[in-house]
Amino acid sequence: MENNKRNIIVVECISTGTNFIEDIINRGYNPIVLETKIIDTGEGKEYKKMVYDEYKRIKYDFEIIYEQDTYEETLEMVRKLDPLLILAGSEKGVILTTKLSHDLGLLGNPIENLDAMTLKNEMHNRLKEYGIRYIRGKVVDSIEDAIEYYDSENLKEVVIKPTYSAGSASVRICADKEEMIESLKQMLTDSANYYGEKENKFLIQERINGEEYIVNTVSCEGKHRVTLIWKYSKVKTSDGAIIYDSSETVNELRIGEAEMVEYAYQVADAIGIQYGPVHGEYMIDENGPVLIEVNCRPCGASMEAEFLNRISGQHETDSILDAYLKPELFRVQYAKPYKLYAYGAIKLFIVPNDIIAESSPIDNISFRFKSHYKTSMAEIIDNRLFPKTEDLHTSCGLVYLVHEDYDVVQDNINFLRDIEKRAFSLILSENKNESKEKDDETYLDELKQFLDLVSTYGTGLIITDQIIEDSNILQCKPQDINNINGEFDFVLLNLNKSYMRESDDNIVKLSFESLSRVKSGGYVFIPKNTYEQIPSKRNGMEGIIQTLDLKIEVPPYGIKDIIVASKR
């Protein structure tokens, strides 16, 4: 540690909060991460592993200190470091950040507002006190209490959630009283919040149906400014879990969204925010905006500073530091209108059922999208088990998209949804290839039936495992493809044996190398004996084709079991 630099402490530095480290260093200060205590449960150990995986993403050296057995010991340890600021790097860091800042006399939010800042029931109680729209709810610790509240309030659909958690962990939507009872039976018996802490009390809330948003704000001296607005797309699983599909930036406000921003300012005032971020989640229904919950820390989803800078010309952790360290600069930004320079989106992959995966072919696909910024997939080691997605934590990965053209982003995110729905093996591959290898003569007979069809398309290239002796079409084996120069009027793939022996990752790479040999206006042909070896078979090959911006053609009459596509 350099003694001439003031320390800035980040409590629980994960996700988008990891950007604090670079920002602190770039401002000439010394970053220190205060790691909070981990619950000694299976879920707690899993959370700890996630925290250390997050540290690996940080490109700079930083010091780590650890929460002590008692708060008093932690306070004294931090006091000796004489920090200039203490900041929350995640939701779990908000409580300790607020307490330490208060006791050390540092800039922060009033400690009397801590419950309203962190407990999902108390933030709505605070809104009720201030006469602001809130969601009806009650904390229960038994099914009997839940039934009594449900009946007394004449509820229909309800949401069940822990009072303190993150990432939609242990959140359930229930269509009626029976679903509520069944969900609570399971949750009261075996449920933990996002941090691995066992839960025995849950908040029952009236379900609000509408469009869901994120409004991220930063505050300085009690004044709030919007940094970025996102719109959520979530889906409900068959067992009532709420899972994230995607988030997209709101670049220009539509009807009702300006009122939501005004409401977000009221919420920040009501819970007493003086400094720093509020990651607020809101719903707009026929009655206008209403708070889902506030999180007084940077937005999640592990967004890199560069990604956010491309969208809005700023990134949240840097804006947070301005609010504390440069109030005059905050005031300049405060006076500027909300303006974004590009459209951003994040697609989170939903695992449809438990999968033991050997590879992730999407890594070799998504980077070809025009709006692609980054793909972040969970690491696969030794045939990793991926459980069915039930919350944010059990998504298997995500893709970040950014582009100045809205339609480009929409085309790419819709294509990812198609792959997820129709060709999931291109995202996580189990490498379950059940095809039986045929003899060479059978493969040749199957190939020859397509030669008359393709030969009318001009000068072609056949990339094949079995060379046809009496054909005047240029042929090459897959290992020799790099020796072929130029582009062709058509390309025919006959790679059944090669694909059968390759990993799914390499199959995707080889497909891209092969199909890239067709010229503009040319055609590609992939027969069944080849596309059946692809992850998700025909759907998977059509996904690969579309990734290269090839157009899938209407199949010609009289010919079946062949994919025909053209290069635009």
Side-chain angles (χ1 to χ4, degrees):
M1 185 188 305
E2 296 184 39
N3 294 327
N4 61 329
K5 292 186 177 182
R6 290 294 303 274
N7 295 321
I8 294 180
I9 295 176
V10 183
V11 182
E12 192 78 7
C13 185
I14 63 171
S15 190
T16 305
T18 57
N19 293 328
F20 271 131
I21 303 302
E22 179 176 351
D23 293 333
I24 291 168
I25 290 172
N26 287 347
R27 288 169 181 258
Y29 298 101
N30 183 60
I32 298 176
V33 171
L34 171 52
E35 187 176 307
T36 60
K37 286 186 289 189
I38 302 298
I39 306 301
D40 190 19
T41 62
E43 295 88 348
K45 292 175 182 176
E46 186 176 341
Y47 180 79
K48 182 176 182 179
K49 179 182 181 303
M50 182 273 293
V51 169
Y52 278 87
D53 286 342
E54 291 286 286
Y55 291 165
K56 294 175 185 177
R57 298 193 302 110
I58 301 174
K59 301 174 184 178
Y60 299 85
D61 292 333
F62 59 94
E63 183 181 350
I64 302 178
I65 58 176
Y66 300 91
E67 183 181 5
Q68 302 299 295
D69 291 336
T70 68
Y71 173 72
E72 289 72 23
E73 290 174 310
T74 303
L75 176 62
E76 289 309 307
M77 174 185 67
V78 171
R79 191 192 304 276
K80 292 176 183 177
L81 294 170
D82 188 28
L84 178 64
L85 287 175
I86 301 175
L87 305 168
S90 74
E91 183 66 20
K92 195 166 185 278
V94 173
I95 293 175
L96 193 53
T97 294
T98 306
K99 289 181 176 179
L100 290 170
S101 297
H102 174 266
D103 289 339
L104 294 175
L106 304 177
L107 287 179
N109 293 304
I111 198 166
E112 59 267 22
N113 297 321
L114 188 53
D115 284 352
M117 292 165 56
T118 56
L119 300 180
K120 302 182 193 304
N121 56 314
E122 291 299 334
M123 55 189 67
H124 283 275
N125 289 340
R126 180 65 66 86
L127 299 189
K128 182 179 180 181
E129 291 174 14
Y130 275 70
I132 303 169
R133 188 184 177 195
Y134 67 98
I135 299 178
R136 290 182 292 163
K138 182 181 179 181
V139 177
V140 302
D141 59 5
S142 69
I143 292 173
E144 291 73 22
D145 283 349
I147 293 173
E148 180 182 351
Y149 179 69
Y150 186 96
D151 291 339
S152 66
E153 293 291 319
N154 295 314
L155 297 172
K156 293 181 180 179
E157 280 189 292
V158 295
V159 179
I160 308 174
K161 60 177 70 174
T163 59
Y164 178 61
S165 189
S168 74
S170 296
V171 176
R172 296 289 183 270
I173 287 181
C174 306
D176 51 35
K177 182 161 64 175
E178 285 67 32
E179 279 194 17
M180 179 190 72
I181 292 170
E182 289 304 312
S183 293
L184 272 176
K185 282 181 181 178
Q186 186 270 323
M187 296 169 77
L188 288 168
T189 302
D190 180 26
S191 187
N193 65 19
Y194 188 69
Y195 319 111
E197 299 165 331
K198 296 298 182 182
E199 290 285 335
N200 55 20
K201 291 184 179 181
F202 291 90
L203 174 62
I204 307 291
Q205 283 185 317
E206 148 189 41
R207 170 79 190 280
I208 304 295
N209 289 290
E211 296 182 305
E212 192 168 349
Y213 294 82
I214 297 168
V215 180
N216 291 327
T217 60
V218 173
S219 302
C220 176
E221 299 169 340
K223 291 186 176 181
H224 323 297
R225 76 173 183 89
V226 172
T227 54
L228 202 52
I229 304 170
W230 297 81
K231 188 175 182 181
Y232 271 137
S233 174
K234 290 183 179 181
V235 295
K236 177 184 175 182
T237 67
S238 58
D239 57 357
I242 304 303
I243 51 180
Y244 294 80
D245 168 60
S246 65
S247 292
E248 300 176 35
T249 57
V250 175
N251 291 49
E252 294 186 7
L253 302 185
R254 300 181 307 155
I255 294 173
E257 292 171 350
E259 182 184 5
M260 173 184 65
V261 173
E262 292 179 358
Y263 175 81
Y265 295 149
Q266 289 181 296
V267 169
D269 285 339
I271 62 174
I273 298 298
Q274 293 295 307
Y275 285 94
V278 172
H279 165 68
E281 300 182 355
Y282 299 88
M283 192 82 77
I284 298 178
D285 66 3
E286 65 276 7
N287 297 315
V290 66
L291 176 72
I292 303 301
E293 61 184 63
V294 294
N295 304 275
C296 301
R297 40 77 174 173
C299 187
S302 299
M303 293 182 281
E304 293 181 355
E306 181 187 357
F307 174 68
L308 294 169
N309 288 342
R310 284 186 58 185
I311 294 169
S312 64
Q314 62 181 316
H315 59 276
E316 195 175 6
T317 51
D318 204 39
S319 298
I320 292 166
L321 287 167
D322 281 343
Y324 284 97
L325 300 174
K326 294 185 176 181
E328 68 285 354
L329 183 55
F330 175 89
R331 286 189 282 270
V332 170
Q333 298 295 333
Y334 176 83
K336 292 181 179 179
Y338 177 76
K339 180 181 179 181
L340 303 187
Y341 301 96
Y343 296 88
I346 302 171
K347 174 67 183 93
L348 296 95
F349 291 125
I350 300 169
V351 184
N353 48 261
D354 292 356
I355 290 176
I356 297 176
E358 291 189 0
S359 62
S360 179
I362 193 68
D363 285 328
N364 295 315
I365 295 174
S366 56
F367 77 90
R368 296 174 182 270
F369 297 165
K370 291 179 181 178
S371 68
H372 182 263
Y373 174 79
K374 180 183 177 181
T375 299
S376 179
M377 297 297 295
E379 187 177 15
I380 298 177
I381 301 175
D382 298 329
N383 294 346
R384 175 174 174 176
L385 172 64
F386 288 85
K388 177 181 177 181
T389 298
E390 295 183 343
D391 51 32
L392 182 62
H393 185 57
T394 48
S395 169
C396 66
L398 37 76
V399 179
Y400 301 86
L401 307 172
V402 60
H403 201 276
E404 291 71 25
D405 188 332
Y406 174 78
D407 290 336
V408 169
V409 174
Q410 287 302 302
D411 286 347
N412 291 164
I413 201 168
N414 287 331
F415 180 54
L416 286 169
R417 289 188 178 118
D418 283 345
I419 288 178
E420 182 181 67
K421 182 178 180 180
R422 296 184 172 92
F424 192 80
S425 292
L426 290 179
I427 298 171
L428 290 180
S429 172
E430 300 176 90
N431 278 358
K432 288 183 177 178
N433 198 325
E434 300 174 356
S435 299
K436 294 182 179 179
E437 190 169 326
K438 305 171 188 177
D439 60 80
D440 286 352
E441 194 64 33
T442 301
Y443 282 129
L444 285 173
D445 289 342
E446 291 175 347
L447 177 62
K448 287 177 182 179
Q449 65 177 305
F450 298 115
L451 295 187
D452 290 340
L453 168 69
V454 302
S455 61
T456 61
Y457 284 81
T459 302
L461 171 67
I462 302 176
I463 303 173
T464 180
D465 298 317
Q466 299 90 25
I467 299 297
I468 305 169
E469 298 296 340
D470 55 350
S471 173
N472 59 2
I473 303 174
L474 180 63
Q475 303 172 58
C476 79
K477 293 193 173 182
Q479 61 266 30
D480 299 324
I481 192 171
N482 289 328
N483 297 326
I484 301 294
N485 296 315
E487 296 179 328
F488 297 82
D489 295 314
F490 72 85
V491 173
L492 171 65
L493 298 191
N494 178 51
L495 296 177
N496 38 76
K497 287 187 176 182
S498 293
Y499 281 169
M500 202 177 295
R501 296 164 185 168
E502 288 285 357
S503 70
D504 286 347
D505 281 346
N506 287 334
I507 285 174
V508 170
K509 291 178 183 177
L510 181 55
S511 299
F512 284 139
E513 289 176 358
S514 303
L515 298 178
S516 65
R517 301 293 168 161
V518 67
K519 67 170 65 170
S520 295
Y523 290 82
V524 298
F525 301 91
I526 303 100
K528 182 177 182 179
N529 67 7
T530 295
Y531 67 64
E532 280 207 325
Q533 318 308 324
I534 295 285
S536 296
K537 299 186 178 181
R538 182 165 188 154
N539 285 351
M541 177 55 86
E542 289 181 351
I544 291 171
I545 286 170
Q546 287 187 292
T547 301
L548 289 171
D549 202 27
L550 300 174
K551 177 187 176 185
I552 299 172
E553 296 289 345
V554 175
Y557 175 75
I559 299 293
K560 66 175 184 177
D561 297 335
I562 186 169
I563 298 173
V564 182
S566 61
K567 187 171 182 179
R568 305 174 195 272

